C-alpha cells in the first residue's frame, strides 16, 4: 500500500509512519516527491493494515495497490469456478439459463412455468417464495408453501431451484428446498445475511445493488466467501 | 384508485373490470375518454385492492389517489409525534441534536466524546457498536462491549443513546442498552429488520437509503409502524 | 387527466376547478370519494393542460392518464421505425451492430479498427472525435481531424459512421461527416443540444443518462422528435 | 503518480516503464513488492502524464497521488475566495443567502418576490428565465423578457441576480443581465457550457449533478476555472 502524507506534514511525521510500518514487520520505502511525501509499504496484508495508518498524524490517505477483496479475486484463484447442481452448470465455459416467474403463486402456475422453462431449454427455475416488497401491504410471497411447490417442480422437471432468502433466520429453511440461494439487490449490503448464506453449503447467487460500485459488489461477495 | 384500460381494450373488458369492482363492494365509475377508458373506484382500501386489478384483462395500469403508506401519512395522524427519551426530545417544535463518533472504540474515547457532546448542548449520543462495513476485513465494531460503554456514557451524562442494529437477531440485545434504535441507510429495505425493530418498544431512527425515493422511504417507515 | 383535490379542499374548490376545465372546452367529471374528491377530465391535451391546474386552489396533484411524450409513444405511431444509412439498418426486425474504439486516435488506428469491425460483420463504426472527459486535462479528441478520418474509414469499408456531438455549435460540422449523431449519456438532458440535433436531417442515437428514469429518457427523445 | 504493474508483468516491462518515465525528464522509483511491482514517479504533472502510461505494456493501473483538479484545489490557493457583487458577499467568512422563485413568471410576481427576499435579509435573488424542463411541452421560461424583469428587480432592491444559463449561445445574453451565472445540476457535465461561462467575467454558481462524485464535481469546476 501507499501511504500519502499531507502537503504540510513534516519529515518527522513521515519518518514516524515509516517506523510504525517497520514495527509491524513490513518494509517501508520513503519517497520525497515535489509536492508530497509518500511511504510505499511492502509486504502488507491487503485486508487489515490500511486502517492502522489512515488516522496517523500527517497522513492524508492510504492507497491500496491490491484490491481489498482477496478470495473473490482472480489473482487468488485464476481457474474458473464451475457450479453444478441438478441440471444447471455455470462457469468454465458453461452457460446456464435460469428462468421463471417473479413469485410462486399456485401449484398450477409454478408447474406450468417449470414445464415451459424446461421446454425452452433452460436448466434452472427461479420463483420467489419470500418476496422483498416496497410496501408492507403487498403480497409477501407464499413462504414455505411456495418452497414446497418449487421442490415439486424440481421433482418433475429436474430443474435446479433458485430462490431468494431475505433474512438470516430463514437460511436453513430455504436451503432445505433450494439448490441455489439468491440474495436480492436490496440485500447486497445486508452483511449478516451474506455471512449466514456463506455458512450454508449451497451456491449463492448475489445480485448487484442498485448503484453499487464493482468494488462494493466484490466485497459483498467476499463476505460470503470468507465464511468458507 | 383509477384503473386505466389499455388503448386497445374493448368496452366489454372495461365493463368486466367494473363488475369486479362491484363484487368487492366498491363503487365503479366508468369514464370513456377520447383515447382511453378509465374506471374510477370509490371506497377502495389503499393498501390491498390495487394488486387485484393490475393483471386483469385489458388493464394498462392502476393509479392510486391515496398514498400507499397509511400510518406514516399526515392525513391519518395530523398532530406531530413527539419522541421523549432521557433528555432527548424530538418533534412538535422540539429540535433534538444527536452527536458522537462513527464507532465506539474505547471507554476513554466514548466518555470523552459524550462529555464534549453534552457540553456542546446536544441531548443524544450516537456511536456504532455494530458497524456495517463495506469490507469483511474492516473493523466491525466492539459489539456488546460497545453497547456497555454507551450505557456507561449515558449513566454519566444523561444523554440518550442512539445506536445501530443490523440484523433481527440483535434487536433484543441492542434494545436492552439503546434509547433509540438506528436503522442505517444500507438496511432501509431490509424488511425483516424493519419488522423486528417495529416490534420492540423503543423509538426507531430510520435513515434514507442512497437513491431511495420518498415513497420507498415512507413505505419503509410503514413497515416499522405496521408492527404497532 | 385526473385532478386530485386536497383532503381538506371544499366542495366549492372542486366545483371551481370543474368550471375552469369547462372554460377550456374540456369535459369535467366530478367524483366524490370517501377521502378525496377528484375531477376526471376528458379531452385534454397531454402536453399542455396539466400545468394549468397544478397550482389551482385546493388541488393536491394532477395524475396524467396518457404519457407526456406523444411523438415518442408507440400509441401515436405503432409501426416500427426503420433507420437505413450506408450498410446499417436498425429497427423493424433488423438488428444493427455498431462497434469501434472509444476515440479516434490516428489514421492507422481507425482504419485498422474499421477493417476489423467490418470483418466481424458489423455495419456501423463508432469512434469519438469530440470526447466528453471528466477532466479538462484529459485528451479531448481529434475534433474535425478525427471526423475526416472517420469519413475515410467509411469510404473504404461502407460502414455507417456513428459519432458524438457535444454542443449545438458543432451540430452542422459533425452532421457533415457522420451518418448517425450520437448524444452521450451526460448530455441526455442538455435540451438545447437535443433540439439542435432534432433540426438536422440525420438519425440520432440517444444514450440514457446514468440514473435517468424511462420517462425522463422518453421525454428527452421527445425533445428531438418535436423538432420534426 | 504510482504506476502499478500487472501481477504477471515481467521485470523487463517494469524497467521499460521506468525508462519511459526518465525519457519525460521525470524520476522513476522501482519498488518490487511481494505481489506487484510499482513504479513511483516523482515530478509528474498531475494533469497530463497519467494517460501516457495507462496503456503501456504490463501496466495494470495508474494511481494519482495528487488530485487531478489543480486550480480548484485548496493546495494551490489556500486563501478563501470572496465573491462580491451588488450586496451579495460570499466566502471568507461571509455567508450569502440567495432566494427566489423557481421561474420568473410576471413583473408583479418577481417584484413581489424580490421585496420579500430583501425584507427577509437575503442579498441575492434567484429566478429562472431559461428553464431546463424534463418535458418539451412544459413552460420553458420567459427568456430575455424574464432577464429584463430580473434586472428591474435588482434596480429596485439592490439584490444580486443569480440566474441559469443553459447553452453556450446564451452566455453573453445572460451575462449582460445577471450578476452570477448559474449552471444547473443537469448541465454539470456539459463541458462546452462550462468553458463558455469560464470565459465570461461573471462569477459562476455550479450545482452538483445528481449522483455526481466530489471528484467529478471539482473537475467540472476545474473546466470553468481553467478558462481563467
Amino acid at each position: 500500500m501507499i501511504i500519502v502524507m499531507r502537503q504540510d506534514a513534516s519529515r518527522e511525521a513521515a519518518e514516524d509512519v515509516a517506523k510504525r510500518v517497520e514495527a509491524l514487520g513490513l518494509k517501508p520505502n520513503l519517497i520525497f516527491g515535489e509536492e508530497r511525501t509518500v511511504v510505499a509499504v511492502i509486504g502488507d496484508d491487503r485486508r487489515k493494515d490500511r486502517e492502522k495508518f489512515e488516522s496517523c498524524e500527517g497522513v492524508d490517505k492510504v492507497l491500496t495497490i491490491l484490491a481489498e477483496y482477496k478470495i473473490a479475486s482472480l489473482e487468488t484463484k485464476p481457474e474458473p469456478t464451475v457450479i453444478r447442481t441438478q441440471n444447471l452448470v455455470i462457469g468454465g465455459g458453461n452457460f446456464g439459463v435460469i428462468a421463471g416467474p417473479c413469485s410462486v403463486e399456485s401449484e398450477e402456475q409454478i408447474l406450468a412455468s417449470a414445464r415451459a422453462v424446461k421446454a425452452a431449454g433452460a436448466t434452472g427455475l427461479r420463483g420467489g417464495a419470500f418476496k422483498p416488497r416496497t410496501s408492507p401491504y403487498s403480497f409477501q410471497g407464499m413462504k414455505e408453501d411456495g418452497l414446497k411447490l418449487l421442490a415439486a417442480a424440481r421433482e418433475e422437471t429436474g430443474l435446479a431451484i433458485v430462490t431468494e432468502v431475505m433474512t438470516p433466520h430463514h437460511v436453513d429453511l430455504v436451503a432445505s428446498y433450494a439448490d441455489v440461494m439468491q440474495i436480492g439487490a436490496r440485500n447486497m449490503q445486508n452483511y449478516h445475511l451474506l455471512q449466514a448464506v456463506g455458512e450454508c453449503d449451497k451456491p449463492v447467487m448475489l445480485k448487484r445493488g442498485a448503484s453499487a460500485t464493482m468494488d462494493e459488489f466484490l466485497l459483498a461477495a467476499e463476505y460470503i466467501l470468507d465464511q468458507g
Side-chain angles (χ1 to χ4, degrees), chain A residues 155-195:
Chain A
E155 192 69 27
E156 183 185 319
T157 59
L159 294 168
I161 299 304
V162 183
T163 196
E164 180 162 354
V165 57
M166 287 173 60
T167 193
H169 185 60
H170 290 161
V171 167
D172 288 345
L173 175 68
V174 174
S176 70
Y177 293 97
D179 298 300
V180 177
M181 310 289 279
Q182 178 179 329
I183 301 292
R186 300 178 208 200
N187 279 320
M188 192 200 85
Q189 295 191 313
N190 182 341
Y191 301 120
H192 283 85
L193 178 59
L194 299 179
Q195 290 172 324

Side-chain angles (χ1 to χ4, degrees), chain A residues 3-226:
Chain A
I3 302 170
V4 182
M5 304 302 294
R6 293 163 48 97
Q7 201 183 23
D8 58 5
S10 65
R11 188 180 177 107
E12 286 68 38
E15 285 166 352
D16 275 359
V17 166
K19 273 178 212 151
R20 276 174 181 255
V21 168
E22 279 177 342
L24 288 167
L26 308 173
K27 194 171 167 312
N29 213 321
L30 262 161
I31 302 172
F32 298 96
E34 297 189 355
E35 298 192 45
R36 298 290 190 107
T37 296
V38 306
V39 184
V41 179
I42 297 178
D44 57 299
D45 184 326
R46 66 173 81 189
R47 293 172 299 180
K48 291 176 202 142
D49 293 331
R50 178 185 190 150
E51 294 184 338
K52 290 173 191 140
F53 294 97
E54 281 179 330
S55 53
C56 286
E57 205 191 315
V59 169
D60 178 18
K61 60 186 170 186
V62 179
L63 303 175
T64 47
I65 300 300
L66 305 172
E68 276 187 275
Y69 41 90
K70 188 178 176 89
I71 319 178
S73 169
L74 275 179
E75 293 179 7
T76 302
K77 179 174 176 303
E79 63 277 14
T81 301
V82 179
I83 303 292
R84 282 174 205 281
T85 174
Q86 306 293 332
N87 293 329
L88 178 66
V89 189
I90 294 178
N94 301 289
F95 191 80
V97 175
I98 299 164
C102 172
S103 305
V104 181
E105 288 167 22
S106 69
E107 182 169 3
E108 188 181 38
Q109 172 249 15
I110 196 66
L111 287 179
S113 298
R115 285 169 204 140
V117 163
K118 189 180 185 183
T123 49
L125 175 68
R126 61 147 286 152
F130 293 95
K131 296 296 304 174
R133 301 299 304 267
T134 306
S135 165
Y137 307 120
S138 298
F139 173 59
Q140 307 276 326
M142 291 183 71
K143 305 197 169 70
E144 187 166 4
D145 287 343
L147 294 173
K148 286 179 182 165
L149 294 178
L150 287 167
R154 170 178 53 203
E155 192 69 27
E156 183 185 319
T157 59
L159 294 168
I161 299 304
V162 183
T163 196
E164 180 162 354
V165 57
M166 287 173 60
T167 193
H169 185 60
H170 290 161
V171 167
D172 288 345
L173 175 68
V174 174
S176 70
Y177 293 97
D179 298 300
V180 177
M181 310 289 279
Q182 178 179 329
I183 301 292
R186 300 178 208 200
N187 279 320
M188 192 200 85
Q189 295 191 313
N190 182 341
Y191 301 120
H192 283 85
L193 178 59
L194 299 179
Q195 290 172 324
V197 295
E199 280 165 16
C200 86
D201 61 353
K202 293 287 170 77
V204 176
M205 188 175 89
L206 176 67
K207 291 184 74 174
R208 191 175 72 87
S211 80
T213 64
M214 282 311 290
D215 270 5
E216 287 165 347
F217 186 38
L218 287 164
L219 283 165
E222 190 85 3
Y223 263 98
I224 298 172
L225 294 165
D226 190 39

